[in-house]
Amino acid sequence: MTQSATSQPSRIVIIGASLTGATAAIALRDQGYEGELTVIGEESQLPYERPPLSKAVLLGNADEPDWVGDEATYADKAISLRLGTMATRIDRGRKVVVASRHEYPYDKLLIATGSAPRRLDVHGAELDGLLTLRTLEESLALRDKFTEGAKIVIVGAGWIGCEAAAAARHHGAEVTMIEPRSQPLLLVVGEQIGATFAALHRDHGVDLRLGVTVKGFAGDDGVVSSVQVKSGHSVPADTVLIGVGAAPNIALADAAGLKLTDGGIAVDATLRSSDPDIYAAGDVAAHDHPKYRRRVRVEHWANAKDQGRHVAGNLLGAEAPYELRPFFFSDQYDLGCEYRGFADPAKDRLVVRGDLASRDFTAFWIRDGAVAAAMNVNQWDDGDALQELVDTGRQVSDKELIAS
Ligand SMILES: Cc1cc2nc3c(=O)[nH]c(=O)nc-3n(C[C@H](O)[C@H](O)[C@H](O)COP(=O)(O)OP(=O)(O)OC[C@H]3O[C@@H](n4cnc5c(N)ncnc54)[C@H](O)[C@@H]3O)c2cc1C
């Protein structure tokens, strides 16, 4: 028998003990799940939230991230955490997860394996001193390198690169940020808003090199000493942060024969995979989003938390579509911003309310007369109104946006 008298699954296993997985486990108990509940996680710490790793921890304002729950949370809810444990196989025929030579049987399985930093496939990539930023250990290791006058090169001007640059400058390091595209954050915010982020970093003393591609790394005694770029120049470096994005951890799902798409695990509107007993959520899930009528894979804190909570209900049989739109935030120096929705800045029309130069504005990306996405920068009073615009997709004039 695999289902309890209440038709709940008897055993739920979650792979990935981070924001999505731990939130789902807690929500399962909060929603009345009484069966066996096991969370298998490769990292040895209790599940934690990553945003502070590139902000408070890196700035030196905290030594710990935000924990999803403390030990008592999991003990009180009878959530069996298997930390420091890598799941190595999903046997769908026998419905077991294999990890550290143990087998964990499941009736329902959630894959919440998140993503891992991309590496650069160039010469010298194996040198010491080339760091990535995903885990607490990596954040603390990077912070140790952010000392007065240290030469820090950041490859990639995405969110992680930009936040790390701000932290490095805070500690007095000399920062060079190298980005192959024409602006920081180009694919998310486009040329004009990207230029405001470029100005932000330059105003804070970052040597920002745009349109520049890394060719490789040179080192002394196995430790990186410079970054070589395609123009033939080289940039001296004591430490290099590779911030070129993250790739979903799909190897387990792939080996188990689950359908993959758009780089992630293909899930329907309810976050169910091509196997009806297996769900995926968070960074790793390529979700058939009912509001966008297309696959959307989101690598944001709010998505991990909200999908974690949502998928718990579906593991218990709710079959409810996940319909929330993406939301994320960033902090760099004295700039804070929030982004709601999902725009394509190469296609959508930009409308700005406020002043770009003083970095006090809200940007709207307009598609078919409605707000596809809105980003408030150092403006904090209109969150609900922006959410309403994005959620309803109602027709709106430029006049209304600029006046409101
Ligand atoms: C430095 C940093 C700063 C960020 N800042 C922001 C921010 O300001 N705003 C924002 O919206 N988002 C931010 N994000 C993104 C956000 O943290 C992620 O979207 C979120 O962590 C995704 O959660 P997840 O649980 O899906 O995946 P992850 O957090 O990647 O967790 C997946 C977990 O699964 C484990 N795992 C993988 N494979 C296995 C396996 N086979 N067996 C066992 N365990 C496994 C991994 O070790 C990991 O612990 C940031 C991310 C980083 C790295």
Side-chain angles (χ1 to χ4, degrees):
M1 193 176 94
T2 58
Q3 302 273 303
S4 74
T6 58
S7 90
Q8 287 188 345
S10 298
R11 293 165 302 200
I12 296 180
V13 173
I14 298 174
I15 308 176
S18 185
L19 185 54
T20 304
T23 302
I26 292 168
L28 277 164
R29 290 302 189 212
D30 291 348
Q31 292 177 30
Y33 176 60
E34 291 174 352
E36 272 178 40
L37 181 51
T38 306
V39 184
I40 301 170
E42 178 190 2
E43 292 181 79
S44 52
Q45 297 90 353
L46 287 175
Y48 59 89
E49 303 188 4
R50 298 185 198 277
L53 303 185
S54 52
K55 305 176 187 67
V57 173
L58 214 48
L59 287 163
N61 298 335
D63 291 324
E64 294 187 351
D66 298 332
W67 304 102
V68 183
D70 58 15
E71 268 182 50
T73 309
Y74 301 101
D76 293 350
K77 294 180 185 295
I79 297 168
S80 174
L81 286 181
R82 296 281 182 265
L83 300 177
T85 303
M86 184 82 175
T88 47
R89 195 159 60 88
I90 300 166
D91 184 336
R92 289 169 54 205
R94 294 171 52 234
K95 297 181 82 168
V96 295
V97 175
V98 182
S100 296
R101 294 201 208 113
H102 281 73
E103 292 195 339
Y104 298 88
Y106 66 83
D107 301 311
K108 297 284 178 195
L109 172 65
L110 171 63
I111 303 179
T113 47
S115 44
R118 288 184 203 279
R119 314 260 161 185
L120 284 180
D121 187 15
V122 294
H123 75 82
E126 74 295 343
L127 288 166
D128 283 347
L130 296 180
L131 306 183
T132 53
L133 177 53
R134 185 83 198 170
T135 64
L136 177 58
E137 289 92 341
E138 288 172 332
S139 176
L140 293 172
L142 192 60
R143 188 175 79 184
D144 279 350
K145 305 291 183 187
F146 287 176
T147 53
E148 185 82 33
K151 292 183 177 53
I152 305 295
V153 177
I154 297 176
V155 180
W159 296 109
I160 299 275
C162 286
E163 291 183 359
R169 289 298 300 141
H170 172 80
H171 292 288
E174 290 176 20
V175 179
T176 305
M177 186 152 59
I178 299 175
E179 164 61 46
R181 297 194 171 91
S182 57
Q183 297 295 349
L185 305 164
L186 182 77
L187 298 185
V188 188
V189 301
E191 195 67 40
Q192 202 177 344
I193 303 299
T196 66
F197 281 89
L200 170 76
H201 286 277
R202 287 184 171 134
D203 288 352
H204 284 84
V206 172
D207 177 358
L208 176 62
R209 305 198 187 177
L210 297 170
V212 173
T213 303
V214 168
K215 195 172 72 174
F217 304 97
D220 295 324
D221 297 330
V223 181
V224 71
S225 58
S226 68
V227 180
Q228 299 163 333
V229 300
K230 284 215 167 126
S231 62
H233 291 94
S234 71
V235 184
D238 299 321
T239 298
V240 177
L241 171 64
I242 307 290
V244 295
N249 293 317
I250 52 172
L252 270 184
D254 192 17
L258 295 178
K259 187 175 170 211
L260 306 176
T261 187
D262 299 317
I265 301 173
V267 292
D268 68 10
T270 69
L271 303 169
R272 184 165 42 198
S273 77
S274 53
D275 179 327
D277 292 320
I278 303 181
Y279 288 72
D283 277 19
V284 79
H287 171 227
D288 193 359
H289 201 299
K291 298 288 184 195
Y292 295 112
R293 296 203 192 92
R294 54 162 286 196
R295 295 270 171 197
V296 176
R297 200 179 62 71
V298 178
E299 293 179 0
H300 299 320
W301 172 90
N303 181 70
K305 205 174 175 65
D306 293 335
Q307 285 198 348
R309 204 179 290 126
H310 188 91
V311 77
N314 289 347
L315 285 162
L316 300 179
E319 299 194 7
Y322 177 83
E323 299 190 323
L324 294 182
R325 294 169 197 267
F327 167 89
F328 70 85
F329 56 92
S330 179
D331 297 313
Q332 301 165 33
Y333 314 100
D334 50 358
L335 180 151
C337 63
E338 295 173 329
Y339 178 105
R340 295 172 169 81
F342 185 37
D344 178 350
K347 292 188 185 146
D348 301 329
R349 189 170 59 83
L350 178 68
V351 174
V352 176
R353 174 176 74 213
D355 182 26
L356 289 180
S358 58
R359 300 190 271 268
D360 182 0
F361 64 90
T362 298
F364 301 92
W365 287 271
I366 311 297
R367 191 181 312 156
D368 301 331
V371 175
M375 183 167 82
N376 49 305
V377 173
N378 288 342
Q379 296 188 343
W380 303 109
D381 295 337
D382 298 330
D384 290 346
L386 299 178
Q387 194 67 50
E388 184 268 337
L389 282 169
V390 168
D391 282 345
T392 60
R394 67 179 170 83
Q395 294 292 298
V396 63
S397 67
D398 291 6
K399 201 169 152 200
E400 181 190 343
L401 292 176
I402 289 165
S404 56

